[in-house]
Amino acid sequence: IHEVVLELLAEQLLKERGQLTAREFANTWRVQRSADAQRALRHLSERYPDRIEKQGDAGATLVYRWKSAVTVRLTGALGDRLGGQQTIQVQAETVRALVDQLEAQAAGISDQVSQGRVVVVVNGQELSDPPGLTMVLRDGDTVSFVPAVGGGSGEEEPTKGIGGEPR
């Protein structure tokens, strides 16, 4: 039971922080033996090989990174450009990395985002560009790409009556 609890705690902390070393895990949860912390993270990475990547040296300096899975919603013609898919799941660390992934599948999306013709919305919040593109995505985020809606000149046109005369 002890090992299962340690793996659950490691999973929770890894999802919250995005990356974790065995030493950080042991210090946070006061794990007595660093070997237990290392084993819990190793087992976790074996259980989720597509979601956890390991970087660095073996042992306490090994960094485990959780790859965030986000839901992407593409409206209108944007979805059509990706084979008619309106909703897809992808793994991306930042909004910029997500845009780059979409660009690889449907050239031109990156230009549309940078030119303001497509608005990026993360969890209901419209991003300001370019600082918004560096936003770190968390597991479970929803990112929507919405064509920008333009209006007229901002001046109201007088209402015309019968025969075209202004009212």
Side-chain angles (χ1 to χ4, degrees), residues 28-103:
T28 301
W29 290 106
R30 297 187 179 150
V31 177
Q32 297 298 318
R33 297 184 353 219
S34 63
D36 290 341
Q38 290 172 3
R39 187 173 25 264
L41 286 167
R42 187 179 66 248
H43 287 168
L44 198 59
S45 69
E46 291 167 357
R47 188 170 357 138
Y48 300 110
D50 57 328
R51 299 296 301 276
I52 298 174
E53 67 181 5
K54 298 180 275 187
Q55 297 175 329
D57 300 329
T61 59
L62 186 62
V63 177
Y64 293 83
R65 295 177 50 91
W66 184 264
K67 297 179 187 175
S68 298
V70 297
T71 300
V72 179
R73 293 199 173 125
L74 303 155
T75 58
L78 295 174
D80 294 341
R81 293 178 66 194
L82 290 174
Q85 299 180 59
Q86 299 296 312
T87 303
I88 57 174
Q89 291 279 9
V90 298
Q91 293 177 346
E93 302 258 341
T94 64
V95 174
R96 167 75 356 210
L98 174 58
V99 170
D100 291 345
Q101 281 185 36
L102 294 175
E103 178 70 21

Side-chain angles (χ1 to χ4, degrees), residues 110-120 126 129 146-149:
S110 182
D111 287 340
Q112 290 181 337
V113 169
S114 64
Q115 294 168 3
R117 294 189 318 236
V118 171
V119 177
V120 181
E126 184 178 329
D129 58 336
V146 183
V149 179

